[in-house]
Amino acid sequence: MTTSATAPKSELPPQVVVLFGATGDLSKRKLLSGMMHLALSDLAPRIRVVGTSLEEMSSDEFRQMALEAIDEFSSRKVSDEQWRQFAGKLSYVSQKAGPAALAEAVARAEMELGPGTRKLHYLSVPPKAALAVVEMLGAAGLVKGSRIIMEKPFGTDLASAIELNATVHETFDEDQIFRIDHFLGKEPAQNILAFRFANGLFEPIWNRNFIDHIQIDIPEKLALDGRANFYESTGAFKDMVVTHLFQVLAFMAMEPPTALEPRAIGEEKNKVFRSMKLLDPRKVVRGQYAGYLTEPGVSPDSDTDTFVALQCEIDNWRWAGVPFYLRTGKRMAEGQRIISIAFREPPKSMFPAGSGVGAHGPDHLTFDLADASKVSLSFYGKRPGPGMRLDKLSMQFAIGETERVGDVLEAYERLILDAMHGDHTLFTTAEGIERLWEVSAPLLADPPPVRQYTPGSWGPNAIHQLIAPNAWRLPFERAWRERP
């Protein structure tokens, strides 16, 4: 089984995973179950997980918490015997016990695994706590030969990103650092690379001559989910666009890399970021759902954006003049993860008025980045029967229709495994994240006012003026077909 966009991995050395924020929401929902799957598989069977957080509890209490979290959130059911196997790989030490206690717990785990063991530190902590964790790792002597995964957002503007990178680089080298974006760990996001670079059908038309515009649309139905303290200091743009949507845009727009290996792919992504024009605040719509100001922990005069839609441009030979429309927000009508490529329409139609051609907009290639991983190509075709009437047809593919659906790794599982292997393909570089904050600077300096929108809608009405004369693809005019 391959584990990223690159070739199959070599054998994985034993790993001690130090999980900071082990009692937090992300750990309970994703990380513990993901590590369990890796530990029980042939992918990473020789691991130990040392959980740590500010809470004081015993290793047995941590194991019980992990069991309850896995029972509630894991998509995979485990037997009692499988749980016993994984529970034996778990231990816990409180951060309040200090660096020496953490070092001792890690040393015990390394002794259990034997020589050649590597260390992977996962920082599932708020951004403001990240530097304290880095300092603790340095004080505990756990830096040399280790790797560190850092959660988003990485900074809140250009100055803070530069400062954060510089401070982390005082302790860790850049090749030790893995800035995570779980969107790129999803199977369908990587399928974009396969579609683009493995098929002679698509790569020749992947440019301004054939593509009219591109939409990256990631609405969420969820509200704050108890994260007001975090969200008030970030908002939709900082939380989602810089760290997720821009990364997906890079996969869509990058030039063919010289090889499917981390350095080559990272360089092509960074070229996209360097080619992006600075954001124009006049081409940005910010929104806030009605009722946000009454959420617990939210300031009554907050202007935090819970929604953002924007137009951005890539000023290079391939994409000059092609607008990219990005949209994301909380409390919206549906939870979706859609990329839609609209192709240019033929320059002249030979079909008579009323034939139906053009009535349903341009042809689209659509990627659904949800776990079901669907792809659809829409086009006009003749309606059966007399005369020349055209309908919009589509060809669709879903990963669930393949024989290898059972091989799919969840996003965090894939990214943790890649970090264990030292594979940076799906991670963000210091240069890349700093450039994205530079691109964002005009918007952060002069943000348009937030416009109120109704929960369960698609955002403020101004989004339609933003994209005119085009139209948003969501909501879809037709549903995905389900396999009978």
Side-chain angles (χ1 to χ4, degrees):
M1 178 193 297
T2 58
T3 56
S4 80
T6 58
K9 310 293 187 186
S10 57
E11 183 178 356
L12 185 69
Q15 305 276 328
V16 175
V17 181
V18 184
L19 177 57
F20 289 86
T23 60
D25 187 66
L26 179 61
S27 176
K28 292 177 180 178
R29 289 178 178 273
K30 295 290 185 181
L31 302 181
L32 288 169
S33 59
M35 291 178 192
M36 181 187 68
H37 176 62
L38 294 175
L40 297 178
S41 71
D42 294 332
L43 298 171
R46 296 180 296 167
I47 70 172
R48 295 290 185 274
V49 178
V50 178
T52 183
S53 72
L54 295 176
E55 293 186 38
E56 296 185 9
M57 63 172 64
S58 66
S59 290
D60 283 341
E61 289 171 326
F62 177 60
R63 294 183 189 109
Q64 182 60 34
M65 185 215 76
L67 175 59
E68 293 171 359
I70 288 168
D71 283 343
E72 182 176 358
F73 296 113
S74 178
S75 60
R76 302 180 179 95
K77 300 304 177 185
V78 293
S79 66
D80 291 343
E81 176 56 32
Q82 288 174 319
W83 166 249
R84 282 193 291 271
Q85 288 182 40
F86 182 58
K89 302 175 185 288
L90 297 177
S91 61
Y92 183 86
V93 58
S94 173
Q95 280 179 247
K96 292 180 178 178
L102 179 63
E104 182 181 347
V106 172
R108 284 198 301 269
E110 287 181 300
M111 287 183 62
E112 293 176 9
L113 290 170
T117 298
R118 300 292 302 257
K119 294 183 288 292
L120 176 67
H121 310 301
Y122 196 119
L123 274 58
S124 179
V125 298
K128 60 186 178 182
L131 290 181
V133 170
V134 170
E135 292 174 4
M136 185 175 188
L137 289 170
L142 297 175
V143 174
K144 185 177 179 181
S146 69
R147 296 171 178 134
I148 180 171
I149 296 177
M150 303 191 71
E151 273 287 341
K152 56 94 174 174
F154 201 86
T156 55
D157 55 21
L158 178 58
S160 63
I162 291 173
E163 181 183 5
L164 181 56
N165 277 324
T167 305
V168 175
H169 284 155
E170 292 175 3
T171 305
F172 288 91
D173 295 333
E174 178 64 18
D175 63 1
Q176 294 177 277
I177 304 169
F178 294 77
R179 300 170 189 82
I180 198 166
D181 169 23
H182 72 272
F183 271 52
L184 295 189
K186 292 179 177 295
E187 196 80 35
Q190 296 162 67
N191 209 19
I192 295 170
L193 296 181
F195 256 78
R196 287 198 56 194
F197 302 128
N199 295 294
L201 174 63
F202 294 110
E203 181 54 26
I205 61 173
W206 211 268
N207 56 59
R208 59 187 172 84
N209 295 320
F210 298 93
I211 292 177
D212 183 78
H213 66 275
I214 292 175
Q215 297 179 34
I216 301 175
D217 207 350
I218 304 181
E220 298 181 292
K221 293 183 72 172
L222 298 174
L224 297 189
D225 205 20
R227 300 165 68 227
N229 186 42
F230 163 79
Y231 206 78
E232 272 286 88
S233 61
T234 53
F237 179 78
K238 294 178 181 179
D239 182 39
M240 290 291 292
V241 177
V242 176
T243 51
H244 292 323
L245 277 71
F246 281 161
Q247 301 298 327
V248 174
L249 180 150
F251 266 27
M252 293 296 302
M254 63 189 277
E255 294 296 317
T258 55
L260 280 179
E261 57 89 17
R263 189 180 301 274
I265 290 177
E267 176 57 25
E268 295 305 333
K269 287 174 58 184
N270 285 342
K271 284 180 183 178
V272 173
F273 299 148
R274 290 196 291 268
S275 299
M276 290 175 66
K277 291 184 176 181
L278 301 185
L279 294 181
D280 183 348
R282 296 171 298 178
K283 297 180 180 179
V284 179
V285 176
R286 297 170 69 237
Q288 186 183 90
Y289 65 79
Y292 175 77
L293 297 180
T294 62
E295 295 271 13
V298 171
S299 170
D301 58 353
S302 171
D303 70 343
T304 298
D305 50 276
T306 65
F307 170 96
V308 64
L310 59 88
Q311 176 186 323
C312 62
E313 298 177 58
I314 300 173
D315 193 19
N316 63 16
W317 193 273
R318 182 182 292 263
W319 295 113
V322 177
F324 287 73
Y325 298 104
L326 281 53
R327 177 173 64 170
T328 186
K330 298 285 190 185
R331 294 294 306 275
M332 297 183 68
E334 296 178 24
Q336 295 272 13
R337 297 163 185 166
I338 296 294
I339 303 172
S340 189
I341 298 99
F343 293 100
R344 294 192 183 279
E345 298 189 55
K348 184 175 176 61
S349 176
M350 66 180 185
F351 298 96
S355 65
V357 68
H360 300 286
D363 300 338
H364 284 88
L365 177 64
T366 303
F367 294 89
D368 184 345
L369 300 189
D371 293 334
S373 183
K374 298 176 180 179
V375 180
S376 173
L377 179 63
S378 70
F379 53 91
Y380 286 98
K382 182 184 178 300
R383 181 186 300 175
M388 183 58 75
R389 292 282 297 170
L390 280 74
D391 284 331
K392 206 63 180 286
L393 310 174
S394 67
M395 293 188 294
Q396 297 184 3
F397 160 82
I399 200 168
E401 297 171 6
T402 72
E403 296 178 356
R404 303 299 297 272
V405 63
D407 290 347
V408 174
L409 291 177
E410 292 189 359
Y412 282 102
E413 296 167 358
R414 178 179 299 276
L415 293 170
I416 291 169
L417 187 63
D418 281 1
M420 289 177 175
H421 282 284
D423 184 344
H424 281 85
T425 302
L426 302 176
F427 296 86
T428 307
T429 65
E431 176 191 342
I433 198 67
E434 289 177 13
R435 172 57 184 167
L436 289 176
W437 285 120
E438 184 180 5
V439 167
S440 306
L443 173 60
L444 299 180
D446 185 24
V450 292
R451 302 167 183 257
Q452 193 172 94
Y453 64 97
T454 304
S457 70
W458 289 101
N461 288 332
I463 61 172
H464 302 298
Q465 287 76 51
L466 173 70
I467 202 171
N470 303 305
W472 292 100
R473 285 277 281 156
L474 286 176
F476 279 137
E477 71 276 9
R478 64 180 63 82
W480 290 102
R481 289 196 297 270
E482 298 297 331
R483 189 180 185 185

